[in-house]
Amino acid sequence: MKIKLPLFLSVILLTLCLITPDAKAQTDSIEVYLIDAYATPELPHTFKLSFFTSDVCKSKVIIDDRYTYVVSDEYSDMHKTEIDLTGLKFKGKIVNFVIVTEDTLGNLYTSETFDFNLPYEPEIDEEANLIKLCLFGAAVFLLPNPNFGIMGSQTSFSLTKEIPLISFRSKSFDYPSGFISLEYSYFFNFQSKNYLRLGYKKIYEVSGIEYISPGVSTFTNFSGSNGVSPEVSIGLFTIEDSFTFYARYRYNIKPGDSSVNFSEITFGLYSGFFSFYLD
């Protein structure tokens, strides 16, 4: 019996989430012209900021998206301040800041983003980075991946969730040599909607992309249909240096009944963050 693997293209639309600032905040309504914006090399390290504006206004500066300081608490078109940087934690050596101005009517305006260089290696806020990584990791761990199945002339959108249970360490710090995973899939249009899989995936790191990962799984649909699923995944690029966006093709085979064999295309995020590692 010859098994033909169907070829097809699948398009995934990604939604761009826009975070809307304060409705009163605008840009370029009051122009900001920098005079000085630098950190002093001598101790205590001090951020010296001076600028003038196109109209009289009050002003404040927001540094690194977290630290807010008043520059001028009275209406003026010349603004100057010095900020002690001792004890502050930053995301990196290049620090971004914006200037928020308030006109005589109480309207708020936000400048373009400026930056200055630190004359020392900053104390990185590792706790904030760890919290951000954990929150993003939890979202990746909980959210299912989009999946598309084809069985003969029938197609079905699906949601699938794969959990790397056990990973095997490699010489690379980026990826394990392979992992054992448990996966559950739900197909909206197939007669058999629920599939559970247990499989092994091997990872080969490849120059130009992240990796190529062949694998094989056993599956059951809880209704007497059991089989094997050879697959191959391609790791395309990383997100937050801890998650890899991948595309996967899989073919599901039920021995003795080729009429229920079907293909799948999956797009998702891989991370071994929650996996148990073995040497």
Side-chain angles (χ1 to χ4, degrees):
M1 177 181 65
K2 182 181 291 185
I3 299 174
K4 296 182 179 180
L5 305 183
L7 300 177
F8 57 89
L9 296 176
S10 176
V11 178
I12 296 294
L13 297 177
L14 301 179
T15 302
L16 178 64
C17 297
L18 300 177
I19 302 176
T20 305
D22 191 316
K24 295 178 67 178
Q26 304 290 332
T27 57
D28 299 328
S29 295
I30 290 183
E31 296 287 348
V32 173
Y33 304 97
L34 285 184
I35 301 173
D36 284 317
Y38 67 94
T40 60
E42 64 274 3
L43 295 176
H45 299 297
T46 303
F47 176 46
K48 294 193 175 184
L49 174 65
S50 61
F51 58 93
F52 66 91
T53 54
S54 59
D55 200 353
V56 294
C57 59
K58 297 179 181 180
S59 63
K60 62 182 178 179
V61 61
I62 302 176
I63 302 174
D64 210 27
D65 299 321
R66 67 181 76 183
Y67 303 116
T68 301
Y69 297 91
V70 173
V71 179
S72 298
D73 57 3
E74 295 183 356
Y75 294 105
S76 175
D77 59 359
M78 291 296 299
H79 308 262
K80 183 177 181 180
T81 190
E82 295 185 1
I83 299 169
D84 188 355
L85 301 178
T86 304
L88 301 186
K89 297 180 180 180
F90 299 104
K91 299 173 185 177
K93 197 167 183 178
I94 299 177
V95 181
N96 294 328
F97 68 94
V98 296
I99 295 168
V100 179
T101 54
E102 180 182 349
D103 65 18
T104 55
L105 298 177
N107 296 316
L108 299 178
Y109 306 104
T110 302
S111 73
E112 64 180 291
T113 300
F114 304 105
D115 62 64
F116 65 93
N117 293 323
L118 294 174
Y120 60 93
E121 290 298 327
E123 181 180 359
I124 304 298
D125 192 350
E126 296 291 349
E127 182 178 354
N129 290 340
L130 181 59
I131 292 174
K132 180 180 177 182
L133 180 63
C134 289
L135 290 175
F136 189 61
V140 171
F141 183 77
L142 294 174
L143 292 178
N145 296 322
N147 192 35
F148 186 74
I150 294 182
M151 183 184 296
S153 61
Q154 188 179 11
T155 62
S156 177
F157 178 73
S158 168
L159 293 174
T160 187
K161 188 62 206 175
E162 180 180 39
I163 300 175
L165 297 176
I166 300 174
S167 297
F168 301 94
R169 298 189 189 278
S170 67
K171 295 180 180 179
S172 169
F173 290 102
D174 296 324
Y175 298 100
S177 63
F179 61 93
I180 297 172
S181 68
L182 185 68
E183 182 177 358
Y184 170 75
S185 303
Y186 181 85
F187 292 87
F188 291 90
N189 298 333
F190 287 171
Q191 183 176 357
S192 297
K193 300 182 180 299
N194 301 285
Y195 284 82
L196 184 68
R197 295 181 174 87
L198 182 66
Y200 175 75
K201 322 294 172 71
K202 180 68 177 177
I203 293 181
Y204 297 98
E205 296 184 46
V206 178
S207 177
I209 57 174
E210 293 298 314
Y211 63 76
I212 294 178
S213 177
V216 63
S217 303
T218 60
F219 71 81
T220 180
N221 69 350
F222 305 99
S223 300
S225 182
N226 306 311
V228 295
S229 304
E231 65 178 63
V232 62
S233 299
I234 300 177
L236 299 173
F237 55 86
T238 60
I239 301 174
E240 295 290 331
D241 295 325
S242 299
F243 307 92
T244 303
F245 182 82
Y246 71 86
R248 178 177 66 199
Y249 175 79
R250 175 164 58 203
Y251 193 66
N252 302 278
I253 304 169
K254 179 185 178 182
D257 187 3
S258 62
S259 65
V260 295
N261 294 349
F262 66 99
S263 298
E264 293 174 82
I265 288 286
T266 306
F267 295 90
L269 292 176
Y270 162 79
S271 175
F273 189 76
F274 296 97
S275 187
F276 180 76
Y277 278 79
L278 295 177
D279 292 323

